[in-house]
Amino acid sequence: MFSIPGTGIFNNNQKIKGTVVLMGKNVLDFNAITSAGSSVSGAVSGIFGTVSDVAGSVVDGATSIFSRSIALKLISATKTDGQGNGKVGKETYLEKHLPTLPNLGAKQDAFDIHFDYDADFGIPAAFYIKNYMQVEFFLVSVTLEDIPNHGTVTFVCNSWVYNFKNYKKDRIFFANDVYLPSATPGALVKYRNEELENLRGDGTGERKEADRIYDYDVYNDLGNPDVDNSLARPVLGGSSEYPYPRRGRTGRRKTKKDPKSEAPSSSTYVPRDEIFGHLKSSDFLTYGIKSLAQNVLPRLQSVFGLNSEFDSFDDARSFFEGGIYLPTDIISDISPLPVLKEIFRTDGEQALKFPPPHVIQVSKSAWMTDEEFAREIIAGVNPNVIKRLEVFPPQSTLDPSIYGDQTSTITKESLETNLEGLTVDEALEGNKLFILDYHDAFMPYLRKINGLKTSKAYATRTILFLKNDGTLTPLAIELSVPHPGGDTFGAVSRVVLPAKEGAEGTIWLLAKAYVVVNDSCYHQLMSHWLNTHAAMEPFIIATYRHLSVLHPIHKLLEPHYRDTMNINGLARQSLINAGGIIEQSFLPGPFSVEMSSKVYKNWVFPDQALPADLIKRGLAVEDPSAPHGVRLVIEDYPYAVDGLEIWDAIKTWVQDYVSLYYASDNEVTKDTELQTWWKEAVEKGHEDLKDKPWWPKLQTLEDLVQSCSIIIWIGSALHAAVNFGQYPYGGFILNRPTISRKFLPELESEEYQELVTNPQKAYLRTITGKYEALVDISVIEILSRHASDEVYLGQRDNPNWTSDSKAIQAFKKFGNKLAEIEAKIEQRNKEPSFRNRIGPAHMPYSLLLPTSDEGLTFRGIPNSISI
């Protein structure tokens, strides 16, 4: 198409200087985990060495390899060819390696490139790139300088580029400009549309490593029936019985025994740019989970055995205080793996030792108090389940034709001795009674759960009272099991009341443990996995399929998607799969994820907004005069107080940003990409709920602002609130047991006598065993960590994420607001009158502080669900 230099389009010697920043595969190779820590220069020399160019002179190895193997072609945004498409320049190769270029990120390499330029070419706003090497590289950015009558053009790329033969069409990248579809320069329209077509694919075939295709599928890859029938799992999604959000399609072969299920594989496809990009530190954390599941836990099981028990509370603390003896061969297996070496600290000999969780750092026994038990319901790792009690006795929503009468058996008389002189009716009227209700979530599955060898559990209801000092206290716990005569006969229930001494005191402690087992399982499977990880993935897929990188809403949402599909793929492979870590260490075992499908039936997108959630649970009432439009029923509710400030900051930022591009509701409805995106996110991504009337129609600016705010909230603050406290609270298994293995003992039985003679042993025989605790603690210690290169809410990993200076200013305002909120939270945590913020365990509520350092910090809101 183009003639040699000096003829054709480029007919003079004018040049555009460019800088290309990339990272070689050796730096980022997910499997080369043990080579981490090598320097950039060491990595380059190790792969490329020092070689000779064609003239025989010695040149830098990176220059030699990359300069002959990577070529770019500029695309004009202002000058068109005969078909009305932007002109395409000639292929130009990388030139000199620039190892000392200022502001290079860790492990990044920069290269010169010079493009021939003619005024007839216009302003470049995109480029094609070809990789002629057999190995892929990670393209970070491209910068063009001194373009006549324009200045600098920046391309933020952050993408893997494979050998050109892997692509049906050349890879294309766009400048960091922003255009609504209707305002796209005519020269770029074809290229914009083609790139979206590339990302959608055709819905057929098995996905390969190099693919960048985003498509939908049901959760049909959790089971492994070809290995054993006990590993078969139902398909989640696509049915009224098991509704579920959609995941990314892989197209793997089906199992032999179940043609509806995909066969597991050693690696799960996700679009290539979702695999942790340049976040090498995050690579380590997730690789640690995979290594833990595949290599370490089977060895530890051989040491401890299933259902082994702690001997005493001191024995449970030995995980942190003295260490656990391990055979030398297991220690030697762990030591070479960087992540596991960090997690499984040893004393240099044969003791395995974890960092002490925050909940026992100050007081070893505060976790046993009623005040701490109640405080963690509103300031713990699962603070968004408690509801205000509006009707007494508590009712069930289970179908009585199937489950009989499931109304609570708790009586007014049993509560009124601890209501500070109030009657139950007066306490209800004064908004003083609350309930933590897991009855309906667990009752339909209790026959199955209690049929497992290692599980004996109850469906629980806990009534709490808001005292005059602003703290909560538990009044009664109802423990229910299905009627032995059949489900239609209702439940058999036992009500346990607070006690401090003797056997009754131990029974009360056990009753609280049964509640926490329900809470731990609901948290991990519903509040954490379903409501953040799984609910988010359909929006990610729809965004990449229908919102161009040039679209302002793509630029708004993209940071809150980073790495989520990859961690979800890893979860399906090692965490929530049949026989995986969750099934090993949580009460429902093989029914774990299936239970979350039942909860998804009642998932409501608009209610994920924090104000709506609080109102729905009766924890807030609408009040236009209140700072956030709602008034809290529990004034000292740390999650809600901090969360409302974060929510408002997010929504204000979204409002400011959206108003830069949409002046009216009409512009929202006429945005073809936007409308297609939302339609598909609802009708395909959340297909099983697509007919629900509560879905926003996305016909107004308010719809757009609210919907984007909810997506950002889910991916950032909501996930942070339910994730990064897992180890600080749950690392001490006695505080947050995940399994119950025995029922409450009957009066006069031997087990009942043990409640008096050895209450610690009675407690430990009931809750999570030693091996299962080790599984749980090992995983949540990884999940609760921040990577060294985490990008937090109010931050971007590249300051040039957009060319729009007004958007940059609005984002700076957002960052400043978050800094103000952080200072206010830290000040609240110093105020002794806010007793729910600190509690008996002396754990200031810090999960919604926006920033954090690396590691186990019990704070920080990353932009996205990356762990």
Side-chain angles (χ1 to χ4, degrees), residues 148-161:
N149 302 314
H150 189 78
T152 300
V153 175
T154 302
F155 301 81
V156 179
C157 305
N158 291 332
S159 179
W160 290 95
V161 180

Side-chain angles (χ1 to χ4, degrees), residues 447-517:
R447 288 192 195 278
K448 294 179 179 179
I449 291 170
N450 290 337
L452 300 171
K453 290 181 180 179
T454 59
S455 298
K456 294 294 180 286
Y458 299 97
T460 66
R461 290 183 176 115
T462 305
I463 307 295
L464 301 110
F465 175 63
L466 180 63
K467 299 194 298 182
N468 289 332
D469 65 3
T471 65
L472 291 170
T473 189
L475 299 178
I477 293 172
E478 183 179 49
L479 306 174
S480 302
V481 293
H483 195 285
D487 288 349
T488 56
F489 290 91
V492 175
S493 300
R494 176 175 178 177
V495 177
V496 182
L497 302 178
K500 295 183 181 297
E501 306 294 337
E504 293 305 311
T506 305
I507 285 178
W508 176 243
L509 187 64
L510 284 170
K512 290 190 291 183
Y514 291 120
V515 173
V516 175
V517 168

